Each structure stands twice: as structure tokens, then as C-alpha cells.
Amino acid sequence: MSVVPDDHEWQYNPRHSVPDFARHAERAAALSRAARERNAGRYDIAYGDSPLSTLDVFPAAAPGAPLHVFLHGGYWRGRDKADYSYVADALVPRGVTTVVMNYDLCPAATLPEIARRTREGLRWIHRNAASLGGDPDRLTVSGHSAGAHLIAMALAADAGADRLEDGAIKAAVLISGIYELAPVLDITVNETIGLRPEMVDGVSPMRHPPFTATALTVVVGSAETPAWIAQSRDFATLCQCRGSRCTYHTLAGEDHFSIMARMERPDDALSRLVLNAAGVQA
């Protein structure tokens, strides 16, 4: 039976809407192996006590450089920081110390636990920025897919005593994220994610908007599914209406996986957005 565009699984499971997704993963892995050979790095630095609370850092040549953190996608259940070392090729040549951060995965951890630990990890990076070769006052972040969701949740202004210091993250670039999680309840990947109805409110950034002190760049590919594009558009609109400095960008022709190929070199479209967010000449 053919998949029709209004099919819920097709709309919200990118592996159904992008048949050649594996090709993009293979390319990213190859690029990342080469990047680790080209760039000096420190690997598997622990920022917490859980098994995947680790990060890799690729320092810029000068100490006290702008510091940028990238979080990978994988629907909170897959992928690894080693698959995205290549983002250092886009940022380190422009003098940006680059951190690629892991986080615990479902089903070993619940989504609320992952969101909380991600916030703790960003707090740890801010506190330890100097030892990583970066400036804590020039900390920016980006994430793809699930990584964008986790950043948005980490920036939630209503996180109470657990919230990040307002303005600790100067800017965030959110790439192809998901911000309202109710649709996840009804797709097959939830068999691994284990999201339950009572969790949805607490982990949906649409219901917990971010600090207005953090500048936001929301990006999505024009070839993503209509529902996935709507997630980014609606979140950007919400943030703008609440007073955030938020811009919304659509990258022509890019799908959920190909969009990350726009962050391989300093002059790529995504790289320029990240460098601009970091206050660096693209």
C-alpha cells in the first residue's frame, strides 16, 4: 500500500518520508571520521553521571573563543556525537570552539529525564567553558531534530529552580525540531521512546516557551513534510509573539536529513546561520 501525504506516520516519522535516509547517515559518519583526523579534539569528557553524559570538544586556536554546542538528532533513541564531529569543520576554522554533546537515549532513560539531564549538561558547559577553551559569555547552541527539541526544553523559562540562568545561552539555532509532542504518541517509534500521555505537557516546548533573552533561529527544510514544517513555523511564531528575538528560515529543497549537509563547511547555509548566531563573521 502506498503512503499518502496525510498519513500520520509519514508526517511525523522522517524515516518514512525520506526513503534514502541511511545514505545521509553514512555520509555524516565518513565526514566525521575525517574531521577527527583533521581537528585536534578531546573526547568523552563526562558532564554527568549517566552513561551517555559525555561530550567531545574541538578547541579553536585561540583560548577564550566563542563556544558552540551541537546536539544530534535521532528521535531521542539513536545516533551519537561521533556521527557529527564534522560540524567542527564548519566552525573551528572561523575561531569557534565546538562541543558535540551526547545525551542519554530512550528506552534506557525517559524523555523527561533526558530533557532534565540535557539542561544540566548545558549548565555544566557554561560553568566549565574556560577549561574547554571557550568564553562562558559567548556560549551558543544548535541542535537537529530531537537535539533541537532538547535545546528548546533546556531554555524553558518556566523550569523553576532547575532553569538555566537567563541569558547564559546567548543564541540558539534550532534545526528541523519537534516542539509539540502529542503526535509522537501515535507513531511506531514511540514503542522505543515510551512517551506516555501524562508526559506530553512537560516535554512539549510549545507549552514551555524559552527565555526571551536568548536569540533564536528556527530552521526547517522546504522538502520536509507539511506537519513537520508546521512544527517549526508554529514554534517560531509563538516565540516571536512572546517577545523573543526569533527568526524563521526555510532552506529550499532540503528534507529532514539532507538539511544537515548544509553545515559541513564554513560557507554553507546552516553554518552561516550558526556563525552569525555566535557573533562571528560567516
Side-chain angles (χ1 to χ4, degrees), residues 58-214:
F58 300 92
L67 181 63
H68 186 80
V69 182
F70 177 81
L71 269 71
H72 67 81
Y75 240 140
W76 311 288
R77 75 200 197 288
R79 308 307 301 273
D80 185 87
K81 59 183 171 55
D83 298 328
Y84 291 92
S85 301
Y86 72 85
V87 301
D89 284 340
L91 305 180
V92 173
R94 293 294 187 267
V96 178
T97 290
T98 304
V99 172
V100 187
M101 180 176 167
N102 257 356
Y103 50 85
D104 293 318
L105 299 174
C106 303
T110 67
L111 193 45
E113 289 171 340
I114 295 168
R116 175 179 56 80
R117 292 171 187 169
T118 300
R119 183 184 292 114
E120 292 171 354
L122 292 174
R123 184 180 292 114
W124 185 95
I125 291 169
H126 183 248
R127 189 168 58 243
N128 292 277
S131 68
L132 299 174
D135 181 351
D137 293 327
R138 291 189 288 173
L139 175 60
T140 58
V141 297
S142 65
H144 174 239
S145 195
H149 161 269
L150 291 173
I151 290 171
M153 281 307 307
L155 293 172
D158 64 354
D162 191 43
R163 71 185 231 165
L164 291 174
E165 178 185 347
D166 196 1
I169 308 295
K170 301 306 179 188
V173 180
L174 307 177
I175 307 159
S176 299
I178 183 167
Y179 307 103
E180 170 53 59
L181 269 61
V184 176
L185 294 170
D186 300 315
I187 57 175
T188 56
V189 296
N190 199 38
E191 296 171 7
T192 304
I193 297 167
L195 183 68
R196 301 190 301 273
E198 64 270 21
M199 295 178 180
V200 169
D201 179 74
V203 292
S204 290
M206 281 294 294
R207 311 182 194 196
H208 304 278
F211 296 118
T212 56
T214 301

Side-chain angles (χ1 to χ4, degrees), residues 26-36 38 85-86 89 261 264:
E26 292 165 2
R27 174 178 172 80
L31 289 171
S32 292
R33 287 192 295 271
R36 289 191 293 274
R38 277 192 297 271
S85 301
Y86 72 85
D89 284 340
E264 296 176 4

Side-chain angles (χ1 to χ4, degrees), residues 15-35:
R15 291 193 176 191
H16 280 233
S17 59
V18 184
D20 63 345
F21 67 88
R23 175 177 62 85
H24 297 290
E26 292 165 2
R27 174 178 172 80
L31 289 171
S32 292
R33 287 192 295 271

